[in-house]
């Protein structure tokens, strides 16, 4: 496990403030290399998700622990100098917590979170800790230059189904008007209790556990300054449909 202590983090923490590096539209256009290291990312939050340079797997951040899910779906340690082309983190402080004691599918779970957040035009941070009947996940392969577009990548991505597991599912709900900047709707990653398995969540059914949510109204985005981002097409035709396909939603 990779765990790090922040630089005087206690004096700088701003809870439930979303920090994001780059944009989803840039990732869709194969801007797969970023400028921010893991240590730099963790200065902005200890809860979140993303990916790694060259699209080398999926990221989950929880309690200053960063885990990387490569194409085999196994979680591994992450070096502090590894960089990310897209990630979102916050210092999560739950505003509401409830106990789920009956099975809920994806649509029912999202409806419950929407009701708790009670504002469709704000971001939301979401964490469920408990038991799952099943979780469907995917990961992405590390890419080589010249990079293919993301839709070409995800057409070949490996998928996994985990049945009857305990773990943590976390991520963000993004309002529709932010599509392209982020992923409109729900973007969730899961990590099993043994910290060995997980990935980007495409479907799930929870059984019982603790659900925590917080509204987010403060957003900071750090945009890359390199040539690839400068030349990216960030408003292509069919952007929403492409993101929906890429995220498996």
């Amino acid at each position: 496990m990779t765990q790090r202590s922040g630089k005087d983090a206690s004096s700088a923490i701003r809870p439930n403030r979303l920090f994001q590096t780059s944009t989803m539209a840039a990732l869709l256009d194969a801007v797969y290399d970023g400028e921010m290291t893991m240590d730099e990312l963790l200065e902005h939050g200890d809860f979140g998700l993303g990916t790694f340079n060259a699209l080398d797997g999926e990221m989950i951040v929880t309690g200053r622990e960063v885990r990387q899910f490569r194409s085999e779906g196994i979680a591994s340690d992450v070096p502090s100098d590894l960089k990310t082309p897209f990630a979102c983190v916050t210092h999560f402080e739950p505003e509401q917590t409830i106990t789920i004691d009956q099975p809920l599918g994806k649509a029912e779970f999202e409806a419950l979170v929407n009701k708790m957040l009670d504002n469709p035009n704000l971001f939301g941070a979401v964490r469920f800790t408990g038991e799952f009947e099943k979780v469907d996940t995917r990961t992405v392969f590390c890419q080589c230059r010249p990079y293919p577009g993301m839709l070409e990548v995800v057409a070949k991505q490996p998928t996994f189904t985990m049945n009857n597991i305990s773990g943590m599912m976390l991520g963000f709900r993004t309002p529709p008007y932010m599509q392209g900047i982020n992923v409109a709707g729900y973007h969730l990653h899961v990590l099993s209790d043994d910290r060995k398995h997980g990935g980007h969540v495409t479907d799930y059914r929870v059984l019982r556990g603790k659900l925590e949510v917080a509204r987010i109204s403060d957003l900071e985005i750090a945009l890359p300054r390199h040539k690839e981002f400068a030349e990216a097409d960030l408003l292509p035709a069919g952007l929403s449909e492409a993101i929906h396909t890429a995220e498996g939603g």
Side-chain angles (χ1 to χ4, degrees):
M1 297 182 187
T2 300
Q3 297 189 14
R4 308 179 181 99
S5 58
K7 296 192 295 185
D8 193 24
S10 62
S11 64
I13 287 176
R14 295 174 61 181
N16 300 330
R17 176 178 186 266
L18 185 64
F19 175 86
Q20 176 177 319
T21 178
S22 194
T23 71
M24 185 61 200
L27 202 66
L28 196 70
D29 201 39
V31 182
Y32 298 155
D33 290 324
E35 303 167 325
M36 181 165 290
T37 67
M38 292 300 99
D39 273 355
E40 291 168 338
L41 181 68
L42 288 175
E43 293 177 17
H44 300 279
D46 56 9
F47 169 109
L49 46 73
T51 186
F52 301 92
N53 272 13
L55 214 62
D56 190 12
E58 305 285 346
M59 174 200 305
I60 192 168
V61 180
T62 173
R64 300 197 64 79
E65 175 190 350
V66 184
R67 301 294 277 169
Q68 179 179 22
F69 309 104
R70 287 197 170 95
S71 55
E72 68 279 4
I74 304 299
S76 61
D77 203 3
V78 177
S80 61
D81 60 352
L82 191 60
K83 293 182 178 181
T84 174
F86 177 81
C88 308
V89 294
T90 190
H91 293 287
F92 180 50
E93 286 192 5
E95 295 178 329
Q96 293 190 63
T97 301
I98 66 169
T99 298
I100 293 178
D101 56 8
Q102 61 181 348
L104 296 177
K106 178 181 177 182
E108 298 166 304
F109 183 91
E110 291 181 359
L112 175 58
V113 174
N114 288 340
K115 183 177 179 180
M116 293 172 70
L117 292 173
D118 193 33
N119 188 329
N121 291 324
L122 293 181
F123 284 80
V126 183
R127 179 168 63 197
F128 173 79
T129 308
E131 300 174 34
F132 299 81
E133 180 180 310
K134 73 149 190 173
V135 187
D136 293 338
T137 67
R138 59 91 160 150
T139 57
V140 284
F141 288 108
C142 184
Q143 301 299 306
C144 298
R145 290 181 179 274
Y147 291 142
M150 195 170 182
L151 292 186
E152 181 179 344
V153 173
V154 299
K156 304 173 184 177
Q157 67 188 354
T159 59
F160 306 90
T161 297
M162 298 182 290
N163 294 306
N164 300 312
I165 69 158
S166 295
M168 176 189 300
M169 181 172 68
L170 63 79
F172 302 99
R173 187 203 68 178
T174 297
Y177 62 86
M178 294 297 291
Q179 182 75 305
I181 300 296
N182 205 301
V183 179
Y186 285 84
H187 186 180
L188 303 170
H189 289 188
V190 67
L191 178 66
S192 61
D193 273 350
D194 62 10
R195 297 304 199 257
K196 293 180 179 179
H197 303 279
H200 173 93
V201 176
T202 57
D203 197 11
Y204 55 90
R205 185 171 176 83
V206 304
L207 291 174
R208 61 189 64 86
K210 180 171 66 173
L211 171 60
E212 302 164 286
V213 304
R215 289 171 295 181
I216 295 176
S217 56
D218 193 359
L219 172 65
E220 178 183 354
I221 303 176
L223 298 176
R225 293 174 177 264
H226 52 51
K227 178 181 178 182
E228 289 81 1
F229 185 80
E231 295 178 349
D233 180 3
L234 303 184
L235 195 59
L239 176 64
S240 291
E241 293 79 5
I243 291 176
H244 182 81
T245 300
E247 293 301 301

